[in-house]
Amino acid sequence: MKPSVLVVDDEPIVRKSCRLVLEAAGWQVLEAGSAAGALALLTSATPRLLLVDLKMPFEDGTRLIGRLREMGIRTPAVLMSGYSTEDTARDAERLGALAFLGKPFTPDELTDTIQRVLNRIEKEEDGHGQSKDPGHR
Amino acid sequence: MLYSTRSKLIAGFMAVTLLVGAASLFIGVRLVDEHVFGEALNRVSQDLNAANEMYLTRVKHVKTSLSITTLGFAFISSVRERNTVDLALRLERMSKLAELDFAGVVDPRGDVICRIGPNAFPPPGRRPANPLTQMVLEQRVSVSGTVILPKDVLVEENHELAERARILLASGPESPSNAREEVTAGMTIAAAVPIFEGSSFVGVLYGGILLNRGEAFVDTVRDTVFQGESFGGKSIGTATLFLNDVRIATNVLTPEGKRALGTRVSPRVEEHVLGKGRRWTDRAFVFSDWYITAYSPIETISGRRAGMLYVGVVEEKYADIRRQLLTVYSLLTVAVMLAASALGWVIASRISSPIHRLIQASRQVSEGNLTPDIGPTEKGEIGLLQNTFKEMVAFVGRRHADSEARIMQSQRQASVGRLAAGVAHEINNPLTGVLTYTHMLLRRSELAEDVRGDLQVIAEATERVRKIVKGLLDFSRQTKIDPEPTDINRLAASATTLIENQALMKGVAIRLNPGENLPELIVDRSQIQGVLINMVINALDATPPGGTIRVFTASGYTGQPSGRKGVEITIADTGSGIAPENLDRIFDPFFTTKAVGQGTGLGLAVSLGIVQRHGGHIRVQSEPGKGTRFFIWLPAKDAS
């Protein structure tokens, strides 16, 4: 089974764009239109990565990540936002994400960012002597 | 505060006036006392001289009348022949003409031949000796003057005269001693002249005027000397004849309005005049009024001081002058005080009304009216105050306009920032779709070349949109400054170095003139460097090939009077300049004169935002066709 990515964004066009790019890159894509939707989905699914929009109605991306960490779900997350500046990118880690992706992005930028994050996770897991990642693409 | 100034001024004036008034009043009273009263004493003294003169004239008159009579042959022969009938007629006539009260002729032995009055022909025998005839009989020369005739002599002469001479002494506070109850002697103005026929002595003619109760003399003195001057319905002057210390003829009136006969003079005066024979001139209380008085002694023909002549002027008249003077002075003082108060009021108003207007104006200024009416400009310190106030208001106005412009600028920036942030967020989502789908399409290998070309256009256009939105977001973000001590010259040098190649390619020279001894600045290096780069690039874009860009740094102060210390960085180009109508707008976000796609119009707005966050400001001077100068001022470390 292909590794999956959960895209959480209130904008259908963003979810659709991500699905297009990521499926072409060999990922299985899960979608949620809100933080609540993401939480519901995560009770059954265990994606390899979360791609979370920073600004969403009701509950934003950082709060979602916070809730997941509280629940013990440590799935790595990438924050994305149309409200991107250098500062927010710098703050991504503080917000609980491993990377930041400013909207709009090209397909290459999306896949590059995800690749970079996964490489980093693998490196850390290697360092901790944990089981190898099943792989991607 | 104003009213207190006014009242202080008025009080000051009043005090001065009061002081001056009181002083002049005091001096005035002293002057009146010294001069007017002294003048009065002088005058009374002169009046007494006149009265004395009149007295002597009377004496002379009596003597002359008698002397002329003794020269007549008929009279002499009548004496010699003892023609008593003829003599009686002649004596009668003479007495009437000369207004004599008594007259008579005695023979060389002293016996009376004839006299006027009831006892005209006394029988021969011992008679009381007439002191008047006695002297002439002994010395055979004529005598004249004041003669005191004792009671018996008067009775012998004429019992009516004796009766007239009798004056009851008044009892009262002024006559403490009642030893004598009445005056019986007669005080007379009399003369006696020897009668000669050839060289033989044939007799003595005597005659005189009884002064006791004689109103004629004193009234004449009063009327002549004081010439009917009156005060309060009474004659101001009085005259009196004293026999010793008793008034025997006077026009001094008792409180009951009768002539004050029989009253005595005060012991002090008596002692001075009768005792020492001196004149007396001073104030004296006579009955109910104060008088300015003068007394002189009267001596009899035998040289004894037997009486006094007195004149006096009611002091009331002079007291009245004094009172009038006092009143005039007081009124004058009050008038001057009123005038001073009015003057004080006017002056205080003149001082306080411009100040009051200034207070009103200050109030108006504090309520936002920067063109208050402070009235006409005064002279002197008030004028200075007004001008200073005007300058202050003008300065406040400039500052106000300045800060208003600044506030508007930041409001514009803030609202644009919020707008930009919102727009960016909204646009970026669909833009993600556009970018994704365009690029995914471009990945397909089976695309026709023309379709691929069109897709490329879409991708590039989208890329531009993405850049614009990024710029918007950069502009809108209020990045915190990360300040550290900075050498501004080094910063400027690194900024110019970065652009030097670009400038060389265009054929524009960049010159850096670093200033010396600049104060240390604490700034966010990367942000300020960004500002400098942005400004130099702007200058480069505006400068045609062959032009020059010069960058100066210098110690500088703000243009404001507070004069905060700092550094001014000047970027001057020889470019196209900025049209005057655009000068106000160049810091507005999205304002640009560059060709479409060449600039976002956010560079200067972002630069200004950064400089302002450092506490500085940017000014611009420009002349179209000649070039533009931007002045970036940043505060020194110890200034902010």
Side-chain angles (χ1 to χ4, degrees), chain B residues 167-171 175 246-248 260-264:
Chain B
I167 292 168
L168 278 169
L169 286 175
S171 56
S175 47
V246 180
R247 289 185 180 87
I248 55 162
L261 294 175
T263 55
R264 289 164 181 272

Side-chain angles (χ1 to χ4, degrees), chain A residues 9-89:
Chain A
D9 198 306
D10 58 319
E11 278 278 345
I13 181 69
V14 176
R15 296 200 301 269
K16 217 174 152 190
S17 295
C18 289
R19 177 180 289 277
L20 182 66
V21 174
L22 292 173
E23 281 181 349
W27 292 81
Q28 197 184 336
V29 176
L30 301 170
E31 285 179 41
S34 65
L39 285 170
L41 236 166
L42 283 169
T43 54
S44 53
T46 51
R48 185 76 180 93
L49 197 75
L50 300 175
L51 193 55
V52 183
D53 187 26
L54 181 63
K55 267 192 97 109
M56 287 183 293
F58 311 117
E59 256 183 316
D60 68 14
T62 53
R63 295 228 4 224
L64 172 62
I65 295 168
R67 292 269 292 268
L68 291 176
R69 300 289 180 261
E70 279 171 25
M71 288 159 67
I73 300 170
R74 312 210 73 85
T75 314
V78 172
L79 267 177
M80 56 180 180
S81 175
Y83 197 72
S84 74
T85 64
E86 283 155 28
D87 293 341
T88 41

